[in-house]
Amino acid sequence: MPIWFGGDYNPEQWPRDVWDEDVQLMQRAGVSLATVGVFSWAKLEPREGEFDFEWLDTVLDKLHAGGVRVDLATATASPPPWLTHAHPEVLPVTVDGVRLSAGSRQQYCPSSPVFRRLATRLVTALAERYGAHPALELWHVSNEYGCHVSHCYCDVSADAFRTWLQTKYGSVAALNDAWGTSFWSQAYSTFDEVYPPRTAPTFRNPTQLLDFDRFSSDELLDCYRGEAEILRAATPDIPITTNFMGWFKPVDYWKWAAEIDVISDDSYPDPTDPLSPATGAMTRDLMRSLRKGQPWLLMEQAPSAVNWRAHNAPKAPGQQRAWSYQSVARGADGILYFQWRQSVAGAEKFHSGLLPHAGTDSRVWRESEQLGGELAALAEVVGTRVAARVAIMFDWDSLWSIEQGATPAQQSYFEGIFAWYREFFTRNVMVDFVSPSFSLDGYDLVVVPSLFVATAAATENLDAHARSGGQLLVTYQTAITDENARITAGGYLGALQRTLGVRIEEFAPLAVPVYSSEIPTVELAGTLLGDASGELWSEYLHAKGARVEATFTTGALAGWPALTRNDVGTGAAWYVATRPDAAARGRLIEHLLGEAGIEFALEQSGLEVVRRGELTFVINHGAAPAAVPVAGTDVLSGASSPGLTLDSQGVAIIRADS
C-alpha cells in the first residue's frame, strides 16, 4: 500500500461538469485518498428530516471509478441554517454570556441534546447508505473539535457540568473538599448551586476552572463517541479518525487517542518563521506519540498560503514538499491537504489549494504533482516506525493549570516544552512525548518541563525511571499541585524531593520590567553550564543530598543552587531551578545524552536527519546548499552519498548500501 496522498474534496462547491475533470486531475497528480463531505450537512439534509444523497452517490462512484479511495466525513462540524433557526437553543454561549450566531461554522453547544440527536441521525443515514461502498477507506468524524467553540457556558452546559461533577465526586462534600471551597465562602450545599466558571468579579476557583477544562474536553469527546459508535456498529472493519490540531490547548488528546483508530493532524506552520521546522517537527512527534509510535496521517496542510494570518505569505519553492517529507520521516503514512480545488467563494477562497486559481500552469500544481508521484513509489515506508530513546513528558492538566491566573508567574507551557525540545531537534535526536501515566521503559533520558500538576502515580513513575538506571531531568514548576489543584502534600515537588535530593523554600520568578519586552535573566555559573544566564524563573532551593552543579551568581539568590544532580538507584535525577539560556541548555543536554549513551550530531546549516525503518530522511531547511551526511543511495534521485548536496528545501531519502 502506498503512502496516502490527497486532501479535502468539496464537490458541493462546484457544478457537476467540473467533477469529471477533478477525477482526471487527481489521477494525474497521484491522489489516492480524498476527504469528502466535511462541511456538506446543508447539502445532505437541505431541510430537517429530508435527505439528498444522489449527488454524493455520484461523487463517490466517480472517485471509485478513478481509483481514488474516500475518507468520508460525517458532515456534523457545521450545522445548517435550518437547524439553528428552528432550534436556537443549540447555539453556544461565551464565558461572558453572549450567545453566538450562525453564519460561520461549529455553531453548536457540545452538550446540546438537540444537536447530538440531529447529528447522530445524519451519521446513521450516512453509515447505512455508504458503509458498503467500495470506495470507503476511512471515516472522518466531524472536524477539528473545539477549534472555535471549545467551552460553552449556557444553561444546558451547566446541567451537563453538574452531572459530570456528580459522577466524578459522588457528593457535594467531596467536591467542596477537592475545590477548597472554604476559601472565599464558596462552599456548596447542593450540586444545583454549581455553575460553569463564567465571568466573575475577580479570580475564579482554580479547581473549578481545571474541572471545567476537563469537562469541556470530555463533552467534545462524547460528541465524537456518539458518532463513532454508530459507525463502528455499521462498519466494524473501517477505521475511524478525527483531525487533531497539534498542540491544541482545549482538548486532552492523550485521552482521545485511545478511542481513535488513526491519529490525524492539521498542521499550518508559518512559512516565514525560522522556527517552523522545529515547531513542526515537535507537532509531528506528538502525533506519533499519542498512540505510542503508531503511524499517523497528516490530514491537512496548506499547499502554499493560508487565509487567516494578518499577512499570508506563500510557502517558498520546495517548502511544502520538504515539510511533507518531514511528516513522513516522523511517522506519517499519509500526506493530505486542505484543499483539493481552491474555492472561489466563502471565507477560505484565499486559502491555497492543490489545484489553485491559476490552474495546472502553476508552481503549486507542479510541486504537488511531483510529490504525489514520489510518494506513490514509497510503499516500503508505510507501517514502519521511528525509534526514540528520549522522552519529554507533556500533560494537559498541567497546561490548563499553569496558564491560569493567580499563579506565581504568567508563562507559556508550550514555550517551556519547546525550549527543551529544540535542543534535541538541533542535535538530530529523536524524541517521543509521553503522558505522566505512560511506561518509561525503553527511554534512557526523560525530560519533565514544568509538570505543574502531578499525581502520586506520576511522581512514582519518574522516581522508578531514575532508580532503574535512567537519566531524569526535572525543571522548575513541577509537582506544585496535585490533581485537585491543591498544593502538593509535603511541599513543592512532593515525593520528588527525595528523588531529586532538593527542597524548594520559596519561588522567585524574575520580574519583567515595565514597558520592556526583554526576557528577564539572572546570571549562573557552574562547570556544566559555563558562564550562562537563567531566564524567566529562579527560586530558593536547598540541596538535600544532591550535588550542586551550578549556582545563581547575582541578586538575592547569589550562591543558591540553580542546577543539581542526585545519584539515585543506578541512575541520576537532575533538577534545574531556572531556564538556562539556549547555549547552556545545549551544553546540559549534550552532557545528559552522553551519560545516557545516546549519540547525536549537531545540526549544520538547517539540515534535519531522521531515521524511519531502514531509510534515513535528510531535509535541508537552510538557505544554503548542504552536503548529505549519510552514506548510501538516495531513493528519490538514485544519486549516491557522500557527494550528494541538497539545495534549500531539498530532500534525500537514503538507503544504506548493503
Side-chain angles (χ1 to χ4, degrees):
M1 172 181 154
I3 294 174
W4 281 328
F5 179 71
D8 279 50
Y9 178 41
N10 299 291
E12 65 272 20
Q13 297 180 16
W14 299 91
R16 289 178 179 245
D17 58 8
V18 175
W19 297 354
D20 287 330
E21 181 188 36
D22 282 329
V23 175
Q24 292 167 5
L25 289 174
M26 286 181 187
Q27 291 174 318
R28 176 176 158 184
V31 169
S32 56
L33 184 68
T35 301
V36 180
V38 172
F39 296 114
S40 62
W41 193 343
K43 183 78 169 175
L44 291 167
E45 190 179 4
R47 287 162 294 280
E48 185 168 356
E50 297 181 21
F51 294 103
D52 176 11
F53 293 118
E54 183 274 333
W55 70 274
L56 187 55
D57 293 345
T58 302
V59 168
L60 296 194
D61 289 346
K62 286 180 180 293
L63 291 171
H64 176 61
V68 179
R69 307 294 293 161
V70 171
D71 169 31
L72 186 57
T74 60
T76 56
S78 188
W82 62 256
L83 192 158
T84 51
H85 178 73
H87 307 282
E89 71 277 12
V90 164
L91 292 167
V93 173
T94 69
V95 67
D96 294 319
V98 176
R99 189 173 291 276
L100 300 178
S101 296
S104 181
R105 68 179 192 181
Q106 222 172 78
Q107 60 273 11
Y108 64 87
C109 164
S111 301
S112 168
V114 175
F115 169 76
R116 294 192 187 191
R117 173 176 59 82
L118 295 172
T120 53
R121 184 179 68 182
L122 173 62
V123 175
T124 300
L126 286 166
E128 291 173 349
R129 191 171 189 91
Y130 299 111
H133 196 284
L136 184 62
E137 182 76 21
L138 189 67
W139 286 111
H140 185 300
V141 175
S142 191
N143 185 75
E144 294 185 336
Y145 275 107
C147 181
H148 310 296
V149 178
S150 60
H151 296 60
C152 179
Y153 297 82
C154 71
D155 289 340
V156 172
S157 295
D159 285 338
F161 185 40
R162 294 179 191 113
T163 299
W164 186 90
L165 292 170
Q166 285 178 301
T167 300
K168 178 175 182 178
Y169 291 109
S171 70
V172 172
L175 180 143
N176 282 324
D177 181 63
W179 286 16
T181 57
S182 58
F183 184 80
W184 279 0
S185 187
Q186 293 177 347
Y188 298 99
S189 58
T190 71
F191 281 104
D192 290 339
E193 297 172 359
V194 181
Y195 288 85
R198 297 164 176 162
T199 300
T202 185
F203 297 115
R204 292 158 292 175
N205 184 295
T207 318
Q208 182 184 15
L209 289 169
L210 177 57
D211 269 344
F212 196 70
D213 284 331
R214 291 163 170 161
F215 157 79
S216 298
S217 177
D218 284 355
E219 285 296 274
L220 290 168
L221 180 55
D222 277 346
C223 288
Y224 166 84
R225 285 179 180 137
E227 297 188 25
E229 287 170 1
I230 294 167
L231 301 175
R232 290 196 200 285
T235 56
D237 297 327
I238 302 297
I240 300 173
T241 191
T242 188
N243 40 342
F244 291 167
M245 293 169 285
W247 298 84
F248 184 57
K249 181 177 178 178
V251 176
D252 183 348
Y253 288 151
W254 291 126
K255 191 169 185 177
W256 282 57
E259 304 192 35
I260 292 174
D261 299 321
V262 178
I263 298 297
S264 63
D265 187 49
D266 296 352
S267 181
Y268 294 98
D270 186 342
T272 66
D273 184 351
L275 293 179
S276 283
T279 57
M282 187 166 88
T283 300
R284 303 176 197 325
D285 287 347
L286 175 64
M287 292 303 120
R288 185 189 67 251
S289 301
L290 287 170
R291 285 182 63 89
K292 301 181 180 180
Q294 175 183 301
W296 55 283
L297 174 63
L298 180 59
M299 181 65 74
E300 288 185 24
Q301 62 173 332
S304 188
V306 298
N307 68 302
W308 38 264
R309 294 189 175 102
H311 301 280
N312 294 295
K315 288 182 176 175
Q319 197 170 47
Q320 67 121 323
R321 177 174 176 263
W323 287 5
S324 295
Y325 276 117
Q326 182 187 65
S327 292
V328 176
R330 294 176 181 272
D333 276 357
I335 300 297
L336 309 183
Y337 293 82
F338 183 85
Q339 59 179 323
W340 160 250
R341 186 183 284 268
Q342 191 170 8
S343 299
V344 296
E348 293 183 305
K349 61 181 176 288
F350 294 115
H351 190 294
S352 58
L354 287 170
L355 183 59
H357 293 151
T360 57
D361 186 13
S362 62
R363 175 181 69 87
V364 168
W365 171 262
R366 286 187 287 272
E367 290 187 8
S368 302
E369 192 175 18
Q370 175 191 357
L371 181 61
E374 290 175 349
L375 293 177
L378 282 177
E380 65 182 290
V381 173
V382 174
T384 61
R385 299 215 170 196
V386 179
R389 294 170 59 189
V390 175
I392 295 178
M393 191 163 284
F394 175 73
D395 173 54
W396 262 270
D397 279 357
S398 293
L399 167 60
W400 291 329
S401 292
I402 204 169
E403 293 190 357
Q404 289 183 9
T407 55
Q410 295 300 294
Q411 56 187 297
S412 165
Y413 186 54
F414 173 85
E415 289 179 5
I417 297 279
F418 179 65
W420 293 99
Y421 176 88
R422 188 181 177 194
E423 301 310 319
F424 295 106
F425 176 79
T426 59
R427 288 160 180 80
N428 286 304
V429 174
M430 288 303 299
V431 170
D432 284 345
F433 288 93
V434 292
S435 161
S437 64
F438 278 16
S439 169
L440 301 178
D441 293 345
Y443 297 111
D444 298 297
L445 170 59
V446 174
V447 180
V448 186
S450 300
L451 185 68
F452 195 81
V453 176
T455 64
T459 57
E460 290 169 5
N461 196 19
L462 296 174
D463 180 77
H465 169 74
R467 292 186 185 279
S468 61
Q471 296 290 314
L472 174 67
L473 175 65
V474 175
T475 83
Y476 63 91
Q477 290 291 272
T478 289
I480 303 305
T481 76
D482 64 13
E483 60 270 34
N484 291 323
R486 301 175 71 97
I487 297 300
T488 305
Y492 306 138
L493 290 173
L496 284 177
Q497 294 178 42
R498 182 181 67 255
T499 307
L500 297 164
V502 298
R503 180 177 70 85
I504 300 169
E505 179 182 332
E506 185 180 0
F507 300 145
L510 303 178
V512 179
V514 178
Y515 306 121
S516 173
S517 60
E518 294 184 4
I519 297 175
T521 61
V522 62
E523 298 305 306
L524 309 173
T527 303
L528 277 182
L529 299 184
D531 292 330
S533 61
E535 302 169 346
L536 302 173
W537 190 266
S538 64
E539 57 193 23
Y540 291 92
L541 183 72
H542 296 270
K544 295 291 187 179
R547 185 167 71 246
V548 177
E549 298 286 357
T551 59
F552 297 105
T553 61
T554 56
L557 274 83
W560 285 75
L563 173 68
T564 62
R565 171 194 172 129
N566 193 39
D567 293 322
V568 54
T570 55
W574 299 73
Y575 183 74
V576 58
T578 186
R579 189 171 78 191
D581 64 72
R585 284 198 306 274
R587 288 189 287 270
L588 176 58
I589 289 302
E590 289 185 2
H591 179 85
L592 294 175
L593 289 171
E595 292 215 7
I598 299 172
E599 296 182 358
F600 64 91
L602 190 62
E603 172 197 87
Q604 297 181 0
S605 305
L607 213 58
E608 178 180 357
V609 181
V610 179
R611 177 74 176 267
R612 180 179 178 189
E614 298 301 316
L615 300 176
T616 301
F617 291 71
V618 184
I619 305 167
N620 183 11
H621 300 291
V628 172
V630 183
T633 302
D634 177 17
V635 302
L636 296 176
S637 67
S640 296
S641 181
L644 180 60
T645 298
L646 296 178
D647 291 333
S648 177
Q649 307 303 326
V651 178
I653 305 176
I654 304 298
R655 179 185 289 111
D657 296 331
S658 56

